[in-house]
Amino acid sequence: MTTRPDRIARVRLSSLRLPLTTPISDAKVLTGRQRPMTEIAFLFAEIGSEQGHEGVGFGYSKRAGGPGQYAHAREIAHELVGEDPNDIARIWDKLVWAGASVGRSGLATQAIAALDVALWDMKAKRAGLPLAKLLGAHRDSVRCYNTSGGFLHTPVEEVLKNATASLERGIGGIKIKVGQPDTRTDLARLDAVREHLGEDVPLMVDANQQWDRATAHRMGRAMERHGLVWIEEPLDAYDHAGHAALATALDTPVATGEMLTSVTEHAELIRAGGADVVQPDAPRIGGITPFLRLAALADHEHLQLAPHFAMEIHLHLAAAYRSEPWVEHFEWLEPLFEERLDIRDGRMIVPDRPGLGITMSEQARAWTTETYST
């Protein structure tokens, strides 16, 4: 008996903006390269099939680019209609070539990400499995650390309170931002956080690409006494040689990759030996399909994995990575979804709901500024 293939019947795109309670500043703001962040733009994709299966996915932009992602997705969305939703890799190639005139990385593939994620969500729902299980999970929970409580606009006393609150919530590690104009301020803040946490709590720092090579080497050596899990983005994201030299010189692992926008860019970083910890972002590199390609490459090189942001997606992908990864905890996106992720004993629990286990909230609908259906 043969089963008739399912077909994609409809695609709905939504552009929305999530406001942040407090303007957010990291080292890029202090160097004058960016303004404080006050909102995040999201592109949501909802895909339905002829047989009644549905999937939801999303991508985002933290500053400029959100309208561009939406516009590009709107131009290519019709390419999905009539396709078998299970043929995700082929559909990804079709979509990327539909817009190849403007590139096969960056904004062009970020617009595809929401569609790709929605197809994987549908496929896992169709199988009645959490996405991690569909991919082949190595674990049912993943170590998690908090970033949102340690930004540079936050006074150190509040950073300490935020760290305590995160640990009490069940989060396992703490990351703080560095990159102050006066490096002594960074070291003093780090000293205070380490003293507050004690020696046993995993601690990371993130310079958001704002050090030069000499500063990164000096600061890396000065911070080694704190036993950091990693130093993140000490240099420009495309300075692979600089990251490689730093990784060789320091005992502390070097983490980077969140700003790269394709598997090819990550492959160049890995080939150069520029990361002990790779930090891909599925929405930034085009979705789950390219993320899996990159994860296979990173695993082959025995690298640690710590995906950037979007924990609702990355929890599943990290759970399917062979060696023990980390997932970054940001509560910022929680208002977008009806569900909440379970965190306890330092770990984020893979939900037992099928697919990603997320549903767009009424608040997300209220923040929507534009929609398109095909």
Side-chain angles (χ1 to χ4, degrees):
M1 178 179 177
T2 59
T3 302
R4 185 174 66 85
D6 198 3
R7 300 295 175 188
I8 295 172
R10 60 192 177 278
V11 180
R12 176 185 170 90
L13 303 175
S14 300
S15 178
L16 63 92
R17 292 186 175 273
L18 182 154
L20 299 177
T21 304
T22 302
I24 303 300
S25 295
D26 58 23
K28 298 187 295 295
V29 175
L30 272 61
T31 57
R33 290 189 165 118
Q34 291 182 345
R35 296 179 180 178
M37 183 168 57
T38 59
E39 62 182 11
I40 305 174
F42 283 87
L43 168 62
F44 271 82
E46 297 168 274
I47 300 177
S49 77
E50 292 176 352
Q51 296 180 12
H53 300 285
E54 297 182 343
V56 61
F58 67 90
Y60 72 94
S61 175
K62 287 187 175 178
R63 287 183 171 83
Q69 291 175 3
Y70 175 77
H72 190 80
R74 179 171 173 165
E75 281 195 278
I76 62 174
H78 69 277
E79 297 283 354
L80 282 85
V81 177
E83 292 285 351
D84 185 333
N86 293 295
D87 296 341
I88 302 176
R90 187 176 62 78
I91 292 172
W92 195 92
D93 283 348
K94 180 180 182 181
L95 293 176
V96 79
W97 281 106
S101 180
V102 293
R104 287 184 280 164
S105 65
L107 185 148
T109 46
Q110 289 168 16
I112 296 171
L115 299 164
D116 183 79
V117 171
L119 289 173
W120 280 103
D121 181 54
M122 181 192 293
K123 191 166 190 173
K125 287 176 178 174
R126 186 172 193 160
L129 295 171
L131 178 61
K133 296 288 188 182
L134 180 75
L135 297 175
H138 285 273
R139 58 196 64 83
D140 294 324
S141 65
V142 180
R143 294 180 297 182
C144 63
Y145 68 95
N146 177 262
T147 293
S148 56
F151 277 82
L152 293 181
H153 66 272
T154 309
V156 67
E157 295 80 10
E158 189 175 343
V159 171
L160 302 183
K161 292 179 181 178
N162 291 341
T164 296
S166 292
L167 297 178
E168 290 176 347
R169 183 175 176 178
I171 294 168
I174 301 296
K175 187 174 79 180
I176 66 167
K177 300 290 185 173
V178 293
Q180 300 275 357
D182 186 344
T183 56
R184 292 172 296 184
T185 303
D186 279 332
L187 294 174
R189 283 167 66 94
L190 180 59
D191 288 344
V193 173
R194 175 51 87 194
E195 181 179 1
H196 178 75
L197 296 176
E199 295 298 321
D200 295 333
V201 175
L203 178 61
M204 305 85 161
V205 299
D206 182 358
N208 287 108
Q209 309 179 74
Q210 299 308 295
W211 287 336
D212 58 30
R213 290 186 179 186
T215 302
H217 280 264
R218 284 197 302 269
M219 292 296 284
R221 287 194 293 269
M223 292 176 173
E224 294 218 309
R225 66 181 183 272
H226 290 303
L228 300 176
V229 178
W230 66 65
I231 296 175
E232 183 171 332
E233 286 198 316
L235 302 169
D236 184 276
Y238 293 97
D239 185 2
H240 302 334
H243 278 107
L246 193 63
T248 300
L250 299 179
D251 291 335
T252 304
V254 171
T256 190
E258 69 180 62
M259 296 305 297
L260 304 182
T261 62
S262 68
V263 175
T264 299
E265 291 175 2
H266 277 277
E268 291 172 354
L269 171 69
I270 292 171
R271 189 178 302 114
D276 301 299
V277 184
V278 289
Q279 297 183 299
D281 184 317
R284 281 187 175 159
I285 64 172
I288 292 170
T289 297
F291 188 102
L292 296 175
R293 297 171 188 162
L294 171 57
L297 178 59
D299 177 60
H300 179 72
E301 296 297 328
H302 306 285
L303 298 175
Q304 296 182 62
L305 179 74
H308 168 256
F309 203 59
M311 63 187 185
E312 293 81 4
I313 298 171
H314 290 136
L315 171 59
H316 292 271
L317 304 182
Y321 193 67
R322 181 165 57 173
S323 60
E324 183 72 52
W326 285 91
V327 170
E328 185 172 27
H329 174 267
F330 271 94
E331 71 280 3
W332 295 352
L333 276 61
E334 288 182 343
L336 299 176
F337 308 111
E338 294 293 343
E339 303 81 5
R340 296 291 178 269
L341 292 173
D342 185 14
I343 299 170
R344 56 180 184 270
D345 300 326
R347 304 182 71 85
M348 192 176 294
I349 313 302
V350 176
D352 57 9
R353 301 180 294 274
L356 291 172
I358 57 174
T359 308
M360 283 184 71
S361 67
E362 290 305 313
Q363 180 62 76
R365 306 286 183 191
W367 281 331
T368 298
T369 58
E370 193 170 355
T371 62
Y372 171 78
S373 297
T374 184

